[in-house]
Amino acid sequence: MEGFQNKKSQMIGIGIITVLMIAVIAYILKDESLENIVNTMLSIKPMFILIAVTLMIFYILCEGVNIWIVMRALKKDVNLLNCLGYGFVGFYFSSITPSSSGGQPAQIFIMKKDGLSMTSSSLSLMVLLFSHQLVIIVMGILAFFFVPDFSTTYQTGFKLLLIYGFGSNSVILIGILLLIFSPNIVFGILNFFGILVYKLRLVKNRDSIKKKIESSIVEYERGAAYMRNNLNVIVKVTIVTFFQILAMFSIPFVIYYAFGLSKYSYFDIVLVQAVLNISVSSLPLPGSVGASESVFLDMFKTFFGNFVIPGMLLTRIANFYIVLIISGVISLLMYFRKNNEMPGGVETQ
């Protein structure tokens, strides 16, 4: 998987994030007093920032735990510490690529270096993605029922963004569900597109495509059949995922509480954060930089009032920028560890 080793692609992603971050912050602060905002941010106790960052690290560690749960269920000999490392790799590469498209390929690459098959890795990440999408969509739906005046608060542009987010996330959820419980349908579609790309002369060797698809079908059906017969594994992963996402969605509340605000409940803020996540997660922007900041200001201005800009900055520092650096360092360590051929897991049959 060349994507993991492509330094140029990484630098481009980081460069885009940096440019977007500077542009968005400059736009937000153009009519504001930078000194007042900085002083407001420095007025809160560092302990709250530490708590917020810890919650985000917990979020990443939960992904590693879930990978470990699924791999063990698939009878793979894996090391928990390495699985935690896979979580950081996924976060880093998801953050620097549009629509989080680089996270799973990078994880599959590093797992393969540990001796885990691509099929096992892909299946485990598919289960994680399914549970992640399920929890987020359910929490987003709950927001419409329990957050006061939610459906009438926001402008038409934001509502369209929300519809797009719900739609794209739902399509992913349904696709994964079919892949787990009705893989033949999915691979029938793959066969169709395999024939199509051959007829369009995008590839030359039809037999090669057919063999790859058939090989994947056999392995995925074996893994999917196991998951169908062991739904307790999906339940376990979903439970861990619930606490994982709850930790991340709790970060705005920690910052809210740090400012001494208390009018709105923890429940309100967590559900609104769920909607924010749904709205921006599918946008083709690395780390949703720009969109997350702008939507936060719109959605949380009722909660934070005059503290909304420093609240947004502190939230993004805690739930993205600091953890991006941490995950980047850990990903680098994982990469060099693999280059030194230090084994982490062995594929068992």
Side-chain angles (χ1 to χ4, degrees):
M1 185 68 66
E2 295 180 358
F4 189 88
Q5 299 176 332
N6 193 332
K7 296 180 181 179
K8 182 178 178 180
S9 297
Q10 292 187 50
M11 294 306 297
I12 290 173
I14 294 171
I16 293 173
I17 288 176
T18 304
V19 171
L20 286 173
M21 178 185 68
I22 293 173
V24 170
I25 292 177
Y27 177 77
I28 290 170
L29 300 181
K30 64 183 177 66
D31 296 322
E32 304 291 335
S33 169
L34 179 60
E35 182 180 358
N36 289 340
I37 290 175
V38 172
N39 288 336
T40 302
M41 292 171 64
L42 294 175
S43 69
I44 72 170
K45 296 179 180 179
M47 175 188 67
F48 290 106
I49 301 299
L50 179 61
I51 293 172
V53 173
T54 301
L55 286 171
M56 198 63 201
I57 292 176
F58 176 80
Y59 169 88
I60 298 173
L61 293 176
C62 281
E63 175 156 342
V65 170
N66 273 336
I67 292 172
W68 182 79
I69 290 173
V70 178
M71 284 295 185
R72 296 292 293 179
L74 292 171
K75 308 300 182 183
K76 309 304 177 186
D77 182 18
V78 291
N79 183 295
L80 176 59
L81 188 61
N82 284 343
C83 289
L84 298 179
Y86 304 151
F88 283 97
V89 169
F91 181 85
Y92 175 70
F93 282 93
S94 293
S95 298
I96 64 172
T97 52
S99 303
S100 302
S101 57
Q104 291 195 350
Q107 288 174 307
I108 291 172
F109 170 82
I110 209 78
M111 290 182 196
K112 186 177 180 181
K113 298 286 283 185
D114 270 347
L116 298 166
S117 72
M118 290 183 64
T119 301
S120 299
S121 303
S122 298
L123 180 59
S124 67
L125 296 177
M126 178 181 66
V127 173
L128 266 64
L129 182 58
F130 167 75
S131 298
H132 191 273
Q133 298 298 107
L134 177 64
V135 172
I136 284 181
I137 288 175
V138 169
M139 293 181 73
I141 292 173
L142 287 175
F144 284 97
F145 291 97
F146 293 101
V147 177
D149 300 324
F150 182 83
S151 61
T152 60
T153 302
Y154 306 109
Q155 300 175 356
T156 302
F158 173 76
K159 290 180 180 179
L160 292 176
L161 183 63
L162 184 57
I163 291 171
Y164 167 76
F166 263 108
S168 57
N169 280 278
S170 297
V171 167
I172 294 173
L173 183 64
I174 293 171
I176 297 170
L177 197 60
L178 285 174
L179 197 53
I180 294 175
F181 296 104
S182 299
N184 288 332
I185 295 177
V186 176
F187 289 110
I189 297 172
L190 289 179
N191 276 316
F192 170 77
F193 281 105
I195 295 172
L196 182 62
V197 296
Y198 172 75
K199 289 186 175 181
L200 292 174
R201 297 184 179 180
L202 298 176
V203 295
K204 296 181 179 180
N205 193 333
R206 179 176 178 177
D207 290 336
S208 176
I209 295 176
K210 185 176 180 181
K211 288 179 180 179
K212 287 181 180 180
I213 292 175
E214 288 177 348
S215 175
S216 296
I217 288 174
V218 172
E219 291 195 64
Y220 265 116
E221 284 186 334
R222 187 189 310 144
Y226 182 87
M227 300 307 296
R228 287 196 301 270
N229 296 324
N230 295 269
L231 293 179
N232 61 309
V233 175
I234 296 180
V235 172
K236 289 178 183 178
V237 170
T238 302
I239 291 172
V240 174
T241 301
F242 170 75
F243 289 105
Q244 173 191 19
I245 293 174
L246 189 64
M248 180 175 66
F249 289 176
S250 298
I251 292 173
F253 180 79
V254 173
I255 304 302
Y256 174 82
Y257 187 80
F259 285 120
L261 303 172
S262 59
K263 180 179 178 181
Y264 293 94
S265 71
Y266 168 79
F267 188 66
D268 289 335
I269 293 178
V270 165
L271 291 181
V272 172
Q273 178 62 32
V275 176
L276 186 155
N277 183 277
I278 290 172
S279 302
V280 303
S281 61
S282 298
L283 295 176
L285 295 169
S288 299
V289 174
S292 287
E293 288 82 356
S294 300
V295 175
F296 186 102
L297 293 177
D298 185 39
M299 296 186 68
F300 282 93
K301 60 186 176 184
T302 301
F303 298 90
F304 282 84
N306 294 332
F307 296 104
V308 67
I309 293 178
M312 177 275 292
L313 293 173
L314 289 172
T315 297
R316 287 297 280 166
I317 287 171
N319 72 6
F320 185 69
Y321 294 108
I322 289 179
V323 186
L324 177 63
I325 295 171
I326 294 172
S327 63
V329 171
I330 293 177
S331 295
L332 189 64
L333 293 174
M334 293 286 288
Y335 173 72
F336 282 115
R337 182 182 65 85
K338 299 305 176 263
N339 280 349
N340 291 332
E341 297 183 351
M342 293 174 63
V346 178
E347 184 76 58
T348 59
Q349 303 297 328

